[in-house]
Amino acid sequence: MTSLDSNVGEYISNEYFEKKLKNGFFLITTSHGSWSLLTEKEYKILKSGDFKNTDLFSFFENKGLIITKKNTSKIVNAFKSQYSFFDEPHMLCVVTLTNRCTLKCDYCHACAKPKDSKIKDMDNKTMVAVIDFICSLPHKNIGIEFQGGEPLFRFDLVKDFLLLLEKKLCLVGKNLTSRVIVTNLTLMTEKIADYVIENNIGLCSSLDGPKELHDKHRKYVSGKGSYDIVMGWNDYFNKKGRNINFLPTITSESIKFGSKSIIDEYLRLGFFRVNLRPIHRIGRGKNKSLWFDDESFFEFWKSGIEYIIELNEAGIEFYDYNTQAMLKNILTPIRSYMCMRTPCGAGISQLAFNTDGTILPCDMARSLPDLKVGNVKKHSYSDISISLLEIKTHTRDTNPLCDSCIFGAYCGNCLCDTYSAFGDFVLKTPQDFDCKIKKRMLTYLFEKLCDKRYSVIFNNWVTLK
């Protein structure tokens, strides 16, 4: 509706969403990502459209709660920034060279097979076809991540793959911007470690927390835990001046231990961040004994955040990566974390390749064969672009209830989790675990942003790397 107030000029009301917080403030958000915390008086003025107070008019105009000729470009640019990842020249390619593994972790989303399994590793012909496909991508910058199974089973293939890929990317004028091996470290040797260091290959591994917790989930087929060998190689790389990027997976057992015990383990090892991410209910993660309800996880996460705040106030730099991603969505216009945006990074910022050349929209889809979009031996990038169209266009505007959610501009859901739970990409919002916990988490963050004690620290978190 267009209005004309002689004191302030012509404007129209923008679509906005509202929620009264426990602290009495009214949270107002817009689809373009702007947000405001209003007093009850300010909220009533916004609802009434009585803008005789020109200072308040200017405030609403600046926030995009009303649209004028002056702020139209600003609002449009904010929308563009949210979706700027469509123009990014980077693609992360996740390659599985083998599905065999030394461990039998309780929550493995890839459903890795035993080390003596007769399943086939990637052969040379398929490897060349995967590399040629990657080189044909329209993206200028390519990142490579080897997953499994356990990639170190076929470290010979890792080396061959990287050598050939670098050679072919150079011929087509593209850059290999990152090389990472996701490994459980059980097959690490000094020879492999030295090669990794000399060739600047990143390492990512799992550390679920203290020894007792880690060994409950990450164990050999015999039942023996893997914590000691993981710590041994962590010490080795630290002495060489290299860090391993560790991630925990939060399960029902983690909830029992509490977030403080996990954070303390990461602090003890000298890390400055943790990622309190809930288990993906995919693959072996569909085991309901590993699950927890949204309230349990929220209390676990909240106690962790409160503890980290105390650490920060004591001068210890530390943060939670998952929370940082949410705060970046709230406090900045860019949606840089591919798992915390809509559409997510599947097929846009990431592709995955199985041992047989099957192409998937992301690594989380490896236990979901219905989500395959092609095969490098048969299909080009142009071919799979049609299959990826539904995923690429799956925004909050296409999800019932998400399109009118107050947190729509700051949230994001994993399409693989959604498909695993419901059999399609349409989120059954009232039933969805991820939706429930993110609503709780985002409500908490907005409430704390009213408090200077938290807001100063949270604004600092978004600058950390």
Side-chain angles (χ1 to χ4, degrees), residues 67 72 79 94 102 175 199 201 241 245 286 371 375 384 441:
I67 301 173
T72 302
F79 267 117
V94 179
T102 51
N175 307 310
N199 290 277
I201 299 172
N245 181 29
K286 291 182 77 70
L371 300 192
N375 190 292
I384 71 164
M441 294 164 74

Side-chain angles (χ1 to χ4, degrees), residues 276-289:
L276 299 176
R277 57 187 188 131
I279 181 175
H280 284 281
R281 299 178 177 187
I282 300 172
R284 291 193 202 126
K286 291 182 77 70
N287 179 355
K288 291 186 179 181
S289 69

Side-chain angles (χ1 to χ4, degrees), residues 114 262-263 307 392:
I262 298 170
I263 293 167
Y307 179 47
K392 289 184 176 183

Side-chain angles (χ1 to χ4, degrees), residues 105-108 213 216-217 219 249-256 279-293 296:
C105 300
D106 293 340
Y107 48 66
C108 179
L213 173 58
K216 278 182 178 292
H217 293 313
K219 51 201 173 189
T249 295
I250 305 305
T251 68
S252 54
E253 288 294 329
S254 313
I255 302 294
K256 295 174 186 175
I279 181 175
H280 284 281
R281 299 178 177 187
I282 300 172
R284 291 193 202 126
K286 291 182 77 70
N287 179 355
K288 291 186 179 181
S289 69
L290 302 173
W291 297 4
F292 35 77
D293 60 35
S296 297

Side-chain angles (χ1 to χ4, degrees), residues 121-189:
D121 299 337
M122 185 177 287
D123 58 37
N124 188 68
K125 182 179 179 181
T126 304
M127 181 185 75
V128 173
V130 170
I131 291 171
D132 287 342
F133 186 94
I134 291 171
C135 290
S136 75
L137 294 172
H139 306 78
K140 177 75 174 177
N141 302 317
I142 301 295
I144 289 292
E145 183 170 294
F146 296 104
Q147 294 191 20
E150 173 48 54
L152 298 190
F153 259 126
R154 297 305 309 269
F155 191 65
D156 58 326
L157 279 183
V158 170
K159 293 190 292 183
D160 291 346
F161 192 103
L162 288 175
L163 286 171
L164 184 57
L165 177 65
E166 288 187 45
K167 179 180 178 180
K168 291 201 170 190
L169 283 177
C170 185
L171 291 174
V172 294
K174 298 185 179 184
N175 307 310
L176 183 58
T177 56
S178 64
R179 296 171 293 178
V180 174
I181 300 174
V182 180
T183 170
N184 61 34
L185 297 170
T186 59
L187 293 178
M188 184 63 68
T189 65

Side-chain angles (χ1 to χ4, degrees), residues 192-207:
I192 293 175
D194 292 343
Y195 185 93
V196 164
I197 293 169
E198 290 169 10
N199 290 277
N200 197 30
I201 299 172
L203 293 177
C204 183
S205 192
S206 292
L207 176 63

